[in-house]
Amino acid sequence: MENIIRVGMADLAASSHPAKLTTLGLGSCIGIALYDVKTKVVGLAHAMLPDSTQARNRENIAKFVDTSISALISEMEKLGGTKENIIAKLAGGAQMFAFRQSLDLMRIGHRNVVAAKEILNKLKIPIVSEDTGGNHGRTIVLDSETGILRIKTIGYGVKEI
Amino acid sequence: MKINFENLDSTHIDVLREIGNIGTGNAITALAKMLNRKVDMDVPKVKVMKFKDVSEILGGAEIPVVGLLLNVEGDISGSIMFILKMDAAHILVNMLMKRRLEECREFGEMELSALQEIGNILASSYLSSLSSLTGLSIMPSVPELAIDMAGAILSVPAIQFGEVGDSVLYIETGFFEGSTRVVGDFFLVPDIDSYGVLLKSLGVIS
């Protein structure tokens, strides 16, 4: 049987090989897919907001890009992964509604992408591919066998990165 | 008093629920007038729920829905999201455009602008009843529309609310026109200080 783990909104999960990690309907949220190329340990986070230090309520660490990435890495290390062998792929960060006002909150998708890149760079984790931005939702599946991130959309086709 | 969604007591929730009932009633009445049809309305289901459970109610995070989002400004601020499943959206558009109800054409510019207008009417009548109930000045922005996966659409208010909590005031409203049932879902996402303003204006808290 295939081991498919579903990651909800503001949630994260890691698994040893073999497994598929999936998260459905990413909009402005960002999907951070991590893959240990040696051990095939995988991790996926579905983060909503860029920065935990700006939030009034930060109980759920999986909600924020910064805290979710570090939590995900330590989960992967518990399963035998090593930070030096981890690569990252990013998906999501769309702007679903075209509000004319440049409200900060409306550009949250973009800010999530920027935050994820900053933090991954700081941790020296290479971002090998991404499918971010735009104005459409994405469902993503990360396969521990290959490290391929499969992205499904409504009206924008399917791609693998 | 600092109001936090997680510490609202049952009186507060009852009041919010009642506001939801009255507002939705007004909104549906306005819609019926616009459609020039007699409609019967269900008692709206109003609940406070976790954001991560919301897309399950709609039938899963991946199913396509029509989402209309308005920002609210004035004495309170926040946003209103109105979600229609695709079949309900088709029925509403057909009612408005006087087509046969079971028709299912692809949405073109006309249909999208009809949906936007429906969102406009529902939200502004909802807010005007809220405004006259509370004496607060509440103004909606022009609604923006998107058709996509339920999870992706809902992520927008979820993020707005995610700054402060994990729950949302959810109102499911249904109405009948003859034997056709149309169900729509409202999500009210006031920013956290606005709950206090709202409850204070009604004399629920001091």
Side-chain angles (χ1 to χ4, degrees), chain B residues 75-118:
Chain B
D75 291 334
I76 63 171
S77 58
S79 49
I80 290 191
M81 169 153 265
F82 182 57
I83 300 253
L84 283 168
K85 290 192 190 166
M86 292 308 280
D87 53 346
H90 278 289
I91 292 172
L92 271 179
V93 167
N94 291 341
M95 280 182 181
L96 196 68
M97 301 185 110
K98 305 209 185 325
R99 293 183 188 150
R100 284 188 316 118
L101 291 189
E102 48 294 351
E103 248 177 80
C104 192
R105 293 189 207 177
E106 193 144 328
F107 289 141
E109 200 134 315
M110 273 291 276
E111 287 81 3
L112 293 180
S113 109
L115 282 169
Q116 209 150 2
E117 190 48 30
I118 289 167

Side-chain angles (χ1 to χ4, degrees), chain B residues 5 47-55 57 166-170 187:
Chain B
F5 222 105
K47 45 188 150 180
V48 175
M49 64 188 300
K50 295 273 180 210
F51 252 116
K52 62 182 172 62
D53 301 327
V54 166
S55 56
I57 283 208
D166 292 307
S167 311
V168 65
L169 188 69
Y170 162 81
F187 298 92

Side-chain angles (χ1 to χ4, degrees), chain A residues 6 9-10 24-29 48-49 54-57 60 63-64 96-101 103 105-106 108 111-112 135-139 152-154 156, chain B residues 2 6 51-52 56 61-64 67-71 73 81 141-142 144-146 148-149 151-156 158-160 162-166 192-193:
Chain A
R6 218 154 113 173
M9 190 184 277
L24 310 179
L26 275 170
S28 301
C29 299
M48 295 167 74
L49 291 159
Q54 305 271 317
R56 281 194 256 180
N57 174 342
N60 180 359
K63 202 194 270 181
F64 307 97
M96 300 304 298
F97 291 90
F99 276 100
R100 261 155 252 119
Q101 315 98 294
L103 271 178
L105 212 48
M106 287 298 143
I108 200 87
R111 285 170 52 210
N112 279 333
N135 59 357
H136 60 275
R138 296 169 173 91
T139 281
K152 288 183 276 183
T153 62
I154 293 180
Y156 293 85
Chain B
K2 249 305 180 239
E6 272 68 33
F51 252 116
K52 62 182 172 62
E56 294 309 314
E62 270 188 300
I63 68 151
L68 288 148
L69 184 71
L70 299 98
N71 287 323
E73 281 152 40
M81 169 153 265
S141 72
V142 176
E144 293 290 340
L145 179 140
D148 212 308
M149 300 176 185
I153 300 268
L154 284 164
S155 74
V156 179
I159 285 172
Q160 244 164 316
E163 302 257 7
V164 286
D166 292 307
I192 201 70
D193 298 324

Side-chain angles (χ1 to χ4, degrees), chain B residues 34-49:
Chain B
M34 175 165 111
L35 298 172
N36 199 16
R37 286 167 192 256
K38 185 178 173 305
V39 300
D40 293 314
M41 193 183 129
D42 296 342
V43 176
K45 281 184 220 154
V46 183
K47 45 188 150 180
V48 175
M49 64 188 300

Side-chain angles (χ1 to χ4, degrees), chain A residues 14-161:
Chain A
S15 172
S16 47
H17 177 64
K20 283 183 177 172
L21 300 182
T22 182
T23 192
L24 310 179
L26 275 170
S28 301
C29 299
I30 185 157
I32 301 150
L34 300 183
Y35 184 60
D36 183 313
V37 291
K38 289 240 168 80
T39 59
K40 298 187 175 181
V41 170
V42 280
L44 183 63
H46 181 154
M48 295 167 74
L49 291 159
D51 189 358
S52 64
T53 60
Q54 305 271 317
R56 281 194 256 180
N57 174 342
R58 58 189 85 135
E59 258 166 57
N60 180 359
I61 52 166
K63 202 194 270 181
F64 307 97
V65 173
D66 53 349
T67 42
S68 72
I69 291 177
S70 39
L72 194 55
I73 292 171
S74 64
E75 287 296 313
M76 289 173 73
E77 282 173 341
K78 275 183 217 157
L79 296 167
T82 319
K83 207 181 100 187
E84 285 64 38
N85 298 331
I86 291 176
I87 57 165
K89 297 180 178 185
L90 300 176
Q95 181 172 348
M96 300 304 298
F97 291 90
F99 276 100
R100 261 155 252 119
Q101 315 98 294
S102 58
L103 271 178
D104 240 15
L105 212 48
M106 287 298 143
R107 296 181 57 248
I108 200 87
H110 176 69
R111 285 170 52 210
N112 279 333
V113 176
V114 171
K117 286 182 180 170
E118 256 177 37
I119 286 152
L120 290 166
N121 283 337
K122 220 180 274 171
L123 294 167
K124 301 203 170 57
I125 293 176
I127 301 163
V128 296
S129 55
E130 62 173 301
D131 178 37
T132 56
N135 59 357
H136 60 275
R138 296 169 173 91
T139 281
I140 58 175
V141 186
L142 176 64
D143 189 342
S144 69
E145 179 59 46
T146 56
I148 286 175
L149 187 67
R150 189 179 164 83
I151 299 159
K152 288 183 276 183
T153 62
I154 293 180
Y156 293 85
V158 177
K159 54 170 110 151
E160 290 187 342
I161 64 170

